[in-house]
Amino acid sequence: MGTGELDREAHVPAGPSAETSARTDAHASASTAEGTGGRAAGASPRTLAEALRSRGDEGLAALLRARPDLLSPVPNDLTQLATRAGTRASVVRALERLDRFTLQTAQAVAVAVEPASYGTVLALLGGDDGDPAVEAALPRALGVLREQALIWGADDRLRLVRTARELLAPSPQHPSATGLGPTVAETTSGMSPGRLQEILGAVGLTSTHDPVSAVAALTSLFTDRERMTALLDTAPPDALAVLDRLVWGPPYGEVTADPAPPVRWLRDHGLLLPTSLRTVVLPREAALHLRGGRAHRETEPVPPEVRVAAEYRPQVVDSTAAGQAHTALATVEELLKGWQTGGPAVLRAGGLSVRDLKRTAAALNVSEEIAAFWIELAYAAGLLASDGEADERFAPTPAYDEWLDLPAPARWTALVTAWLTATRTAGLVGGQDTKGRTLAALGPDLDRGAAPEVRHRVLTLLADLPWGAAPVQDSLLARLRWERPVRTPSPAAPGAPDTPDLRSRIAAWTLTEAELLGLTGRGALCTAARTLLAAPPAPPTPSPADGRGRTEAGPGSAEPAGPSGSPSQSLAASTAAASSTGGVVPHSPAELAARAALAAAVIAPMLPEPLDHVLLQADLTAVAPGPLERPLAEALGVLADVESKGGATVYRFTPGSVRRALDAGQAATDVHAFLARHSRTPVPQPLSYLIDDVARKHGHLRIGAASAYVRCDDDALLDEILADRRSHGLRMRRLAPTVLAAQADPATLLDGLRAMGYAPAAESAEGDVLITRADAHRTPHRTPPVPVPDGPPLPDDTLLGAAVKAIRAGDKAATAVRKPAPHTAEGALPRTTPAETLATVQAAALTGSAIWIGYVNADGAASQRVIAPIRVEGGFVTAYDHTADEVRTYPLHRITGVAELAEPA
């Protein structure tokens, strides 16, 4: 900012306009009357506990819902609740869950003189010229802060909780995001009286007799717009340039023992005050004048809009998403099928090695990042775990077999719901932890408690867009950062790039993962996903913009209105709830299961039906034009090798694949019958020849365990094997005309002869052919990983109602006025004789009145309680305990004494 520009900014009006002031005063008066129930401003609560005591049950429930950490355990009374709400850990957690403008409002209250008025806060946020958007948004922000017990008091006496003020107010140890420095009074607290008088003389003020009045006079000058403007008019241009560098923060600067003339002028006139021998600071009052009264460089009262990148017909989105959903099911099945005959080993530190991850990515024909996602998804769904053996390996769980038996829509919703609620974050794989160690897939330290909340919020924002609309990713991330800003110790430099925070990274991963799972198609949320969030009506059927059903959203194009009752309306309540509870969209397990069933019903007609046939071709391939029924796919997977995947799967028959089927116990006639039964085309002659040729050779050689032997009725064939140089490594010799012995084990001998082009078969000790079939390995029963919560869970309405009732009862007991008991010190347990105790308790039981008792339990812990006796018999008193809000029985010998409650005034 240039000198002239600073000059123009310095000549700002002395205060808000008359119209703004009138609106501010009217709002303050109305809200004060409303906040105090019609009482005068003098009756404003003196403490946070008194402010909470004036709330209704709904207000207390809203506080406990927004800050569930206050419920662990349930406070005994409102005083304890207020104390807990002011603890550092709880306040930090609450501040981190505020949206940007609400946090800016709290920061403005922190830099204002306490207690602050509504008009002061409005002026700090809107500046001297005012801002209609700030005026409209400020009541909501103050309401959120008051609801969460971060501020209290009427609108003419707003006070931040002390811990929040310590965290948000500017100080050398904790710079404020506002970029403001300390006040004149704070900076001059250790300054000598003579130096203060010198500053007063330099700025043209009359000398005073004490430092307090000197500081007050200097503060009055800096907060007076006209006099401050006149002072700055006398400043050298270079001095204004120095102020320009400090005005938006950081407000501190270093000086030498002999500062330059501009700095010396500012220091002499109190516009730069020393904080140490080599450091000066711009006082807060002076900075606010230079800023035009604004506490922040940019105030953001309105959340940024999620812009639309492109729009598609809902049918196109749903069909694309359904195709991705089918691919997701096939990918997870292929992954676990490949690991069921001997999965990768578990690292000593836990997790999957980099080499095994690369091998899995190559097998699935995806990148390593995508492979890590599918692996973590299978693990989160409980389909994959370690087997716990001595040579520990990963393998499918028994739940995988149950999952395979489900219909395709149910399998899809099982994966989606597991992903929605999982805290394990696959995007972290390959990164490093705080100790510099690489994070491995399926390893520890991948849980992030914020992941489910961010996923829900991203999908909710997508649901708020028109049907078929895909968002601009940067605008969506900007919206999320507004809703949960990253706390920074000081304001970022203008134009500095934003460092991606964890929530933004999780949001970007969510968009990719939702597309892989089929929750979105072409970036737009599909109907099944909208149903999973909140059951919507049927989407509209707009006329297609072009043959592809796609329209580009241009700057001048009007957004089509969503259908009546669209998710942008039906999710409004849940979005508001998400904002007040930190962004979490509440879904109980039962509710999520019910919505998953609805989503399965929506996506079921869009998923391709399994086929019971293939198309055989003359080039020894079979084409599956769609997903195959599981028995057919499994049998074909043994008989042929998968050559390519996509919309159609191509299988290739080879001598090795046919031999694999024969090894599994099938005969050539079985293979011919199988192909004839499942092929829509005639079985090609080359394929029939291949099957017969391999079957004719299969089992001609027999291998058993001697160490190992080979036997064959054709001794000429054995001569051929012995003469082959490739058999020298097997070290075979002839035992009989039809038997060869080898020093290799049977498995090595079997593989060696197959590598030489023969088709041997293994046999048992009885001489029968062994059927070699890969056995599916399963882990013992494993439960899915438990999500790691990001703080305490959200309480339900039942728990909130019981907690509010208990807190009210405890507060009533704690604040009840008692008659002073004789010979009892104030605050001590009442002391009466056993006879007096029994008589008072019996009288209270007859009259139904409440009394105050001192009680010592079996552990020796003493307490005071307010009870209403119901029955006295057998040395016990049964009474309604107002402190615990329940009926209890107390032994009379443990009651130290009783006292009557004072009559209400």
Side-chain angles (χ1 to χ4, degrees), residues 168-241:
L168 299 178
S171 69
Q173 295 76 22
H174 303 285
S176 170
T178 61
L180 293 169
T183 62
V184 172
E186 294 169 345
T187 310
T188 58
S189 59
M191 187 175 291
S192 65
R195 176 67 184 132
L196 281 173
Q197 299 304 323
E198 291 177 1
I199 295 176
L200 291 183
V203 297
L205 295 177
T206 306
S207 298
T208 63
H209 300 288
D210 59 278
V212 175
S213 58
V215 170
L218 193 59
T219 302
S220 175
L221 169 65
F222 287 169
T223 53
D224 188 303
R225 290 286 190 264
E226 292 183 359
R227 291 194 293 162
M228 186 64 175
T229 300
L231 175 63
L232 291 175
D233 286 342
T234 65
D238 292 341
L240 295 178

Side-chain angles (χ1 to χ4, degrees), residues 39 64 122 179 215 246 480 581 857:
R39 296 175 297 169
L64 298 176
L122 179 61
V215 170
L246 300 177
L480 290 175
T581 58
N857 63 14

Side-chain angles (χ1 to χ4, degrees), residues 172-551:
Q173 295 76 22
H174 303 285
S176 170
T178 61
L180 293 169
T183 62
V184 172
E186 294 169 345
T187 310
T188 58
S189 59
M191 187 175 291
S192 65
R195 176 67 184 132
L196 281 173
Q197 299 304 323
E198 291 177 1
I199 295 176
L200 291 183
V203 297
L205 295 177
T206 306
S207 298
T208 63
H209 300 288
D210 59 278
V212 175
S213 58
V215 170
L218 193 59
T219 302
S220 175
L221 169 65
F222 287 169
T223 53
D224 188 303
R225 290 286 190 264
E226 292 183 359
R227 291 194 293 162
M228 186 64 175
T229 300
L231 175 63
L232 291 175
D233 286 342
T234 65
D238 292 341
L240 295 178
V242 172
L243 293 179
D244 186 45
R245 292 197 296 270
L246 300 177
V247 64
W248 291 108
Y252 295 91
E254 292 186 0
V255 296
T256 61
D258 185 19
V263 176
R264 188 182 303 114
W265 188 94
L266 293 172
R267 188 184 61 180
D268 293 342
H269 289 75
L271 294 173
L272 290 180
L273 295 174
T275 58
S276 67
L277 290 177
R278 299 180 61 86
T279 308
V280 292
V281 66
L282 176 65
R284 186 185 307 171
E285 294 85 351
L288 285 174
H289 173 82
L290 294 171
R291 294 179 175 195
R294 301 179 70 92
H296 300 84
R297 181 191 288 262
E298 293 183 2
T299 307
E300 301 182 57
V302 179
E305 180 185 2
V306 180
R307 301 192 305 275
V308 175
E311 293 188 27
Y312 307 91
R313 287 185 293 116
Q315 295 86 342
V316 173
V317 172
D318 288 343
S319 61
T320 305
Q324 283 297 125
H326 168 69
T327 303
L329 298 179
T331 303
V332 172
E333 186 175 347
E334 181 182 0
L335 166 68
L336 298 180
K337 185 178 180 180
W339 284 17
Q340 70 181 357
T341 56
V346 181
L347 294 175
R348 181 178 301 178
L352 193 69
S353 69
V354 175
R355 181 176 57 184
D356 287 326
L357 178 60
K358 290 182 178 179
R359 186 180 296 118
T360 302
L364 297 178
N365 195 25
V366 295
S367 65
E368 294 176 27
E369 293 79 8
I370 301 301
F373 165 68
W374 293 122
I375 292 170
E376 284 291 339
L377 178 62
Y379 178 59
L383 309 179
L384 174 67
S386 60
D387 57 11
E389 302 291 339
D391 181 20
E392 194 172 13
R393 292 183 173 275
F394 292 108
T397 65
Y400 170 61
D401 298 309
E402 300 174 3
W403 180 76
L404 286 177
D405 293 335
L406 295 174
R411 281 186 282 135
W412 179 74
T413 54
L415 294 180
V416 169
T417 53
W419 173 74
L420 280 173
T421 57
T423 56
R424 292 187 64 84
T425 310
L428 297 172
V429 173
Q432 292 185 337
D433 61 9
T434 54
K435 297 181 180 179
R437 297 173 298 191
T438 301
L439 297 172
L442 299 178
D445 303 325
L446 288 182
D447 284 287
R448 297 295 182 270
E453 170 198 328
V454 176
R455 294 188 191 116
H456 277 289
R457 189 61 188 139
V458 168
L459 296 181
T460 303
L461 290 175
L462 293 181
D464 289 341
L465 295 176
W467 289 81
V472 176
Q473 180 171 324
D474 290 343
S475 68
L476 188 142
L477 298 181
R479 173 63 173 268
L480 290 175
R481 284 192 292 269
W482 185 92
E483 293 179 349
R484 189 73 62 79
V486 180
R487 292 187 61 199
T488 53
S490 59
D498 293 334
T499 303
D501 58 287
L502 178 61
R503 287 177 58 86
S504 296
R505 292 161 62 199
I506 293 176
W509 296 331
T510 296
L511 293 174
T512 301
E513 293 165 0
E515 190 77 14
L516 291 173
L517 281 172
L519 288 167
T520 59
R522 302 193 183 186
L525 203 66
C526 72
T527 304
R530 291 176 182 270
T531 306
L532 192 62
L533 294 176
T541 308
S543 57
D546 55 27
R548 296 167 296 175
R550 180 176 185 270
T551 58

Side-chain angles (χ1 to χ4, degrees), residues 666-716:
Q666 298 187 46
T669 54
D670 298 331
V671 174
H672 285 298
F674 170 79
L675 294 177
R677 184 168 60 253
H678 291 289
S679 176
R680 288 290 177 89
T681 58
V683 179
Q685 195 174 46
L687 179 56
S688 298
Y689 286 163
L690 174 64
I691 295 170
D692 293 338
D693 186 53
V694 174
R696 184 170 55 254
K697 298 177 182 179
H698 185 265
H700 198 191
L701 295 175
R702 300 293 186 88
I703 295 177
S707 214
Y709 64 84
V710 181
R711 71 180 182 88
C712 180
D713 296 337
D714 186 358
D715 54 351

